[in-house]
Amino acid sequence: GNETYNYKDRIMYFYLPRPKNVKLITAYDILQKCFQIIQNILLIDRTKKTSIHFKKGSVYFDVTHDFAQYIIEKMRKDDKYIKAFKYTRCADEVFVQTILFNSEYYKKHSNFQTRYIDWSKHGNSPEILNMSYLQELKNTSALYARKFSIVDDKELVDNIKEEDVEKKAIVCFDKMREF
């Protein structure tokens, strides 16, 4: 993703709930910008009034069953994360990653990627995979890949065989056992 984007802007300010009516989006954007300017003038920074250390990561991640249960229990017993993320915007790349970083599970964290995603050309959007990626996809140990387009290149999808998927799953699960 685009690392230059300041993710803290998503959580340091209060954001109004986004309207469901598409016709109101422009008015909402103007009102939210004014609201953000006022918050800047008043030096509002919600991240400074908490002991939480915020971290950003990929929206595509895998967690162990234990960590998933930890998140659920943490939300039931301690509302500090709910309060910290309420009225934020697009915190999907920050919420689980922040809980992980602030937990004992962080020491067990692995950066092993189970997804093949090419971010090199479009900044905020991954490359649409085509036939030129076939060999790379066969050679990767990733279990999943993103982003395919049957409209743009159905041939790639047709060339990924079921036996390749089975081999990938075995390699991927072997690597996942390492942590």
Side-chain angles (χ1 to χ4, degrees):
N2 184 353
E3 296 305 316
T4 60
Y5 179 76
N6 184 359
Y7 73 91
K8 284 204 173 183
D9 286 353
R10 299 178 189 185
I11 52 180
M12 70 186 282
Y13 299 116
F14 289 93
Y15 285 87
L16 303 168
R18 200 159 175 84
K20 292 178 182 167
N21 185 336
V22 178
K23 294 177 183 177
L24 299 175
I25 297 295
T26 302
Y28 166 84
D29 288 341
I30 293 167
L31 184 60
Q32 182 59 54
K33 189 65 179 165
C34 292
F35 192 42
Q36 194 169 329
I37 290 168
I38 292 167
Q39 291 179 79
N40 269 330
I41 292 168
L42 297 174
L43 302 175
I44 291 175
D45 182 350
R46 299 173 65 196
T47 64
K48 290 184 179 180
K49 295 180 180 183
T50 180
S51 62
I52 298 172
H53 298 281
F54 295 94
K55 292 294 175 181
K56 178 185 177 286
S58 175
V59 72
Y60 306 102
F61 54 84
D62 303 302
V63 298
T64 63
H65 179 73
D66 286 346
F67 182 61
Q69 286 189 312
Y70 172 83
I71 294 171
I72 293 166
E73 284 304 308
K74 192 76 171 161
M75 295 307 103
R76 284 186 185 144
K77 295 178 181 176
D78 183 0
D79 66 348
K80 77 177 181 181
Y81 289 102
I82 301 295
K83 287 180 180 178
F85 283 95
K86 193 171 187 174
Y87 304 116
T88 60
R89 183 178 205 174
C90 303
D92 57 339
E93 294 176 340
V94 184
F95 185 73
V96 171
Q97 297 79 352
T98 296
I99 295 171
L100 174 67
F101 183 79
N102 288 277
S103 75
E104 66 272 9
Y105 289 92
Y106 183 69
K107 293 175 182 79
K108 299 176 190 174
H109 178 260
S110 169
N111 278 329
F112 173 65
Q113 297 295 318
T114 59
R115 289 161 181 80
Y116 179 92
I117 305 174
D118 181 358
W119 290 99
S120 66
K121 297 179 184 163
H122 294 294
N124 289 332
S125 181
E127 180 71 9
I128 295 174
L129 304 178
N130 57 42
M131 275 303 289
S132 68
Y133 286 89
L134 182 61
Q135 199 56 47
E136 203 169 335
L137 288 169
K138 286 185 174 192
N139 293 336
T140 183
S141 61
L143 185 57
Y144 309 102
R146 177 172 187 245
K147 164 175 187 181
F148 295 96
S149 172
I150 293 176
V151 174
D152 293 336
D153 199 338
K154 185 177 185 298
E155 185 180 7
L156 175 63
V157 176
D158 292 341
N159 272 282
I160 298 175
K161 304 207 184 316
E162 196 171 309
E163 68 231 32
D164 292 331
V165 173
E166 285 179 31
K167 288 176 194 170
K168 290 245 180 295
I170 291 166
V171 170
C172 182
F173 290 127
D174 283 345
K175 286 194 177 200
M176 288 174 74
R177 272 191 227 140
E178 294 172 9
F179 61 92

